[in-house]
Amino acid sequence: MSESIYKVRTQKYLKPILETQIIGISRVILGLPIDHVFDRFKTLLQAESTQSSMKQLFKDTYRRNGVLKGVFAGFSSQISIQLFKQYYRWPMMILIPKYYKELLPSSWVENHPALHKGLAGATIALFESFVTCPLERIKCQLMTQHQSKSILKQLWRNERSLSHFVRNLYTGMEAMVLKQVVSWTNYLYWDHKIRYFFKENPSQALTLPQIAMCSLLTAVPNILLVQPFDAVKTAYQMEQNGNYKQLTIPQAFVKVYKDKGLIGYYAGWQLRLSQFIVQAALSTPVMDYLERLHGLPNEL
């Protein structure tokens, strides 16, 4: 009897985990090339001390290092990050909200209908910040360096011991945690809220126009709330980070404002908006399908 229960429980969780992992990896393959270009130049605009135009920045980057080492700098690190992220993200995005909704007292869920989404976002953000910060640090260094060189060798050469090397890889960890918590809680809440606004019942699939509207409406609050935290994270992790790495988070926010003004928080917002719309256009129908299949698609 216990063996049969174990098999049922294994099938209950193993199948959705495998399905969501496969779909997540497929989503990387479809979206990564254009996604990387958006991310590359958004990061460059955040790291620039002067406000360059996107067109001029692209020309300078191409002229200096060409296509592979210029436009696609950091692509290998980006592949590693995105494959790893999408491998664990989709199971967590679908199953953790379901877990919290089953775990929380029913009165809490009724009085705070978005609580399970907020807890799921914070859980994913903390996990992702810890496991991907070194990769994000390397990617940001590769994207903002002016000359092609080995990042790991450079980081190791500049440190006195293994502990200092590891600490260097985790530069910007606090800023990344804040950015990820704001990003994940914001995304999971608005994605759910907007998707179910268009539905007459939870089992209904979204149409293409509805997916387009969801992608756009989810992107706007994400840009407004998350972009300042992303700008500060880039300041900590970019190649020329000497003026930031010893600062506290509040001090880093103040320095970005003093150096670049309010626009410094939103440098590259056009690229980030385009990037997020592309990501959401790929993610929204997948999220909707998987949530209807394996999650708890109850309206907030």
Side-chain angles (χ1 to χ4, degrees):
M1 184 69 179
S2 59
E3 185 177 349
S4 61
I5 293 174
Y6 173 77
K7 287 183 179 179
V8 170
R9 288 181 176 176
T10 301
Q11 291 175 354
K12 178 183 177 181
Y13 291 104
L14 186 59
K15 183 180 178 182
I17 287 174
L18 290 175
E19 285 183 358
T20 51
Q21 285 174 336
I22 292 171
I23 290 173
I25 292 173
S26 302
R27 183 228 173 278
V28 173
I29 295 171
L30 288 173
L32 185 57
I34 186 65
D35 189 49
H36 174 78
V37 174
F38 285 138
D39 197 31
R40 158 73 162 145
F41 286 96
K42 182 264 297 180
T43 303
L44 274 179
L45 286 169
Q46 289 176 333
E48 286 287 305
S49 56
T50 58
Q51 295 300 318
S52 304
S53 68
M54 169 63 195
K55 184 177 180 181
Q56 187 60 44
L57 192 62
F58 185 90
K59 286 182 177 179
D60 291 343
T61 302
Y62 177 77
R63 189 182 302 115
R64 187 164 52 237
N65 292 315
V67 176
L68 292 179
K69 294 183 179 180
V71 177
F72 282 92
F75 188 67
S76 59
S77 179
Q78 183 83 307
I79 290 175
S80 303
I81 293 171
Q82 292 304 324
L83 284 175
F84 182 50
K85 281 183 177 179
Q86 299 300 330
Y87 185 74
Y88 67 75
R89 267 182 176 180
W90 286 99
M92 296 179 81
M93 287 163 64
I94 300 301
L95 298 178
I96 289 181
K98 179 179 179 179
Y99 168 76
Y100 277 124
K101 198 160 191 177
E102 292 173 345
L103 179 68
L104 293 170
S106 58
S107 59
W108 290 20
V109 175
E110 291 173 5
N111 295 329
H112 308 281
L115 181 59
H116 68 295
K117 287 286 182 177
L119 290 172
T123 302
I124 297 171
L126 291 172
F127 171 82
E128 185 164 284
S129 298
F130 179 76
V131 299
T132 65
C133 187
L135 291 173
E136 287 284 343
R137 166 77 160 129
I138 293 169
K139 183 195 76 172
C140 195
Q141 284 268 112
L142 287 168
M143 285 184 173
T144 57
Q145 67 179 2
H146 292 288
Q147 294 180 345
S148 178
K149 48 193 172 184
S150 173
I151 295 300
L152 284 175
K153 287 183 179 179
Q154 180 188 358
L155 293 175
W156 176 257
R157 192 182 301 118
N158 292 339
E159 301 302 332
R160 300 184 299 275
S161 64
L162 180 60
S163 62
H164 285 84
F165 173 70
V166 172
R167 191 179 306 164
N168 198 344
L169 287 177
Y170 277 90
T171 297
M173 176 70 176
E174 296 87 352
M176 186 171 178
V177 169
L178 286 174
K179 179 230 173 182
Q180 293 293 80
V181 169
V182 173
S183 178
W184 273 108
T185 53
N186 175 67
Y187 169 71
L188 289 179
Y189 176 81
W190 285 109
D191 171 77
H192 190 93
K193 195 77 172 175
I194 293 169
R195 277 191 294 116
Y196 287 98
F197 174 80
F198 289 106
K199 294 187 177 201
E200 295 181 3
N201 62 79
S203 61
Q204 176 186 338
L206 295 173
T207 64
L208 287 176
Q210 289 172 340
I211 290 171
M213 284 301 298
C214 286
S215 302
L216 178 61
L217 294 175
T218 305
V220 172
N222 184 277
I223 300 302
L224 290 174
L225 296 173
V226 178
Q227 192 73 0
F229 293 94
D230 190 47
V232 171
K233 182 189 84 72
T234 297
Y236 275 110
Q237 295 185 330
M238 64 185 182
E239 184 182 36
Q240 302 296 330
N241 67 344
N243 293 328
Y244 286 91
K245 63 181 181 179
Q246 302 300 331
L247 299 180
T248 64
I249 298 294
Q251 288 171 337
F253 269 95
V254 170
K255 182 162 179 57
V256 170
Y257 180 77
K258 286 183 176 179
D259 290 348
K260 303 177 183 179
L262 186 63
I263 192 64
Y265 294 132
Y266 292 95
W269 70 267
Q270 303 95 327
L271 290 166
R272 178 57 186 149
L273 179 63
S274 302
Q275 180 188 25
F276 195 92
I277 290 174
V278 171
Q279 290 174 339
L282 293 171
S283 299
T284 298
V286 175
M287 182 78 150
D288 191 60
Y289 167 75
L290 291 174
E291 197 171 68
R292 284 186 285 112
L293 193 64
H294 299 301
L296 288 174
N298 296 320
E299 189 169 359
L300 290 178

